[in-house]
């Protein structure tokens, strides 16, 4: 049975625009992201390090669609011609414009080495992706609520041991408030184009987007209201964090 609050949250979901990433921060430097409220309408289209989407801040409900790679419509849009430079071991902070409490779910981060230039790399074929970090549920709180309470920002550390080069960083939250039914999970991925400097010699890969997720994965078809999430031992989709990166 769905609680009243679950129903209200679902309604809020329908009428409110969802969050997006209008700004990122690397070290102490703020860099424009993709502002869904303005950037799709600007002419000429702005050049950004965060991959563009149409005028859509909604969610993806089919984890095997082309949209799962880098957000809605991204596979049909030209990639951006620039990257942001970050040293291996340094952090990238995603400064979302908003995020609601109660969109229970994990925060997950992946990377993929751009084959050739990131400006011509879609990331939607082969298995270039690897998981670099994730948080699920800890200390009585979903990672998504920790994110919402932290001024809807999330900081990702670039693994110190990956090889220097150009990469996509795929940052994602999955909202599980409606995920007890198949197709009810909501995916919110966003990709940023990075040039990683320094680093080590590792060149991990192994995951595909689309491909890494299916609608019936335990971490995707999941009822977050069925008792304490800790007792359900929630396991995020996409497998474990790649070992040896840090
Ligand atoms: Cu929502």
């Amino acid at each position: 049975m769905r609680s009243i609050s679950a129903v209200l949250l679902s309604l809020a979901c329908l009428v409110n625009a969802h969050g997006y990433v209008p700004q990122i921060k690397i070290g102490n430097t703020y860099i424009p992201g993709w502002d869904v409220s303005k950037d799709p309408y600007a002419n000429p289209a702005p050049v950004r390090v965060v991959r563009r989407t149409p005028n859509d801040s909604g969610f993806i409900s089919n984890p095997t669609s082309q949209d799962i790679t880098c957000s809605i419509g991204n596979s049909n849009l030209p990639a951006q011609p620039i990257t942001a430079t970050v040293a291996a071991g340094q952090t990238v902070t995603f400064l979302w414009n908003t995020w609601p409490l109660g969109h229970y779910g994990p925060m997950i981060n992946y990377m993929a080495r751009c084959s050739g230039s990131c400006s011509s790399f879609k990331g939607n074929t082969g298995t270039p992706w690897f998981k670099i970090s994730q948080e699920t549920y800890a200390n009585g709180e979903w990672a998504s609520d920790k994110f919402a309470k932290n001024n809807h920002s999330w900081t990702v550390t670039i693994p110190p041991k990956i090889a220097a080069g150009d990469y996509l960083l795929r940052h994602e939250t999955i909202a599980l408030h409606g995920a007890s039914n198949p197709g009810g999970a909501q995916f919110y991925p966003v990709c940023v184009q990075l040039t990683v400097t320094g680093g080590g010699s590792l060149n991990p890969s192994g995951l595909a987007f689309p491909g890494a997720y299916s609608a019936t994965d335990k971490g995707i078809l999941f009822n977050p209201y069925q008792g304490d999430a800790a007792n359900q031992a929630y396991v995020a989709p996409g497998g474990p964090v790649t070992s040896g990166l840090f």
Side-chain angles (χ1 to χ4, degrees):
M1 200 179 87
R2 303 177 79 196
S3 70
I4 292 291
S5 62
V7 172
L8 290 176
L9 283 167
S10 299
L11 290 174
C13 216
L14 293 174
V15 295
N16 288 340
H18 288 86
Y20 51 89
V21 180
Q23 196 174 46
I24 66 169
K25 186 182 178 191
I26 296 179
N28 291 317
T29 304
Y30 291 88
I31 300 170
W34 184 252
D35 189 333
V36 167
S37 74
K38 298 188 190 116
D39 290 347
Y41 310 102
N43 193 357
V47 173
R48 304 282 190 240
V49 297
V50 170
R51 290 207 161 177
R52 66 190 90 196
T53 65
N55 57 347
D56 199 316
S57 56
F59 54 84
I60 297 150
S61 52
N62 178 358
T64 63
S65 76
Q66 287 292 314
D67 291 342
I68 202 70
T69 315
C70 283
S71 199
I72 296 167
N74 187 266
S75 62
N76 295 321
L77 294 164
Q80 296 283 10
I82 59 171
T83 59
T85 298
V86 58
Q90 205 181 8
T91 59
V92 177
T93 299
F94 289 83
L95 301 161
W96 293 63
N97 68 318
T98 185
W99 199 254
L101 290 168
H103 271 29
Y104 304 135
M107 305 295 295
I108 316 179
N109 301 288
Y110 300 85
M111 291 179 78
R113 184 90 182 250
C114 295
S115 100
S117 163
C118 287
S119 62
S120 58
F121 179 70
K122 294 285 188 185
N124 59 354
T125 58
T127 57
W129 296 94
F130 56 100
K131 188 181 277 188
I132 63 165
S133 58
Q134 62 185 353
E135 290 189 29
T136 56
Y137 184 90
N139 305 315
E141 185 171 66
W142 281 97
S144 59
D145 277 355
K146 176 180 168 184
F147 160 55
K149 290 176 186 173
N150 191 34
N151 205 21
H152 31 83
S153 73
W154 196 262
T155 296
V156 180
T157 301
I158 302 302
K161 295 186 179 175
I162 61 171
D166 288 354
Y167 290 85
L168 294 183
L169 169 56
R170 181 183 179 280
H171 168 65
E172 175 181 44
T173 184
I174 304 172
L176 300 169
H177 54 285
S180 54
N181 298 310
Q186 302 177 351
F187 301 85
Y188 300 88
V190 58
C191 292
V192 54
Q193 300 184 173
L194 299 174
T195 295
V196 176
T197 60
S201 58
L202 295 182
N203 274 300
S205 64
L207 295 174
F209 281 106
Y213 293 174
S214 86
T216 53
D217 285 350
K218 276 170 68 178
I220 291 174
L221 181 60
F222 182 85
N223 182 355
Y225 303 106
Q226 204 167 56
D228 189 291
N231 297 332
Q232 296 194 65
Y234 177 78
V235 176
V241 171
T242 301
S243 61
L245 298 178
F246 288 86

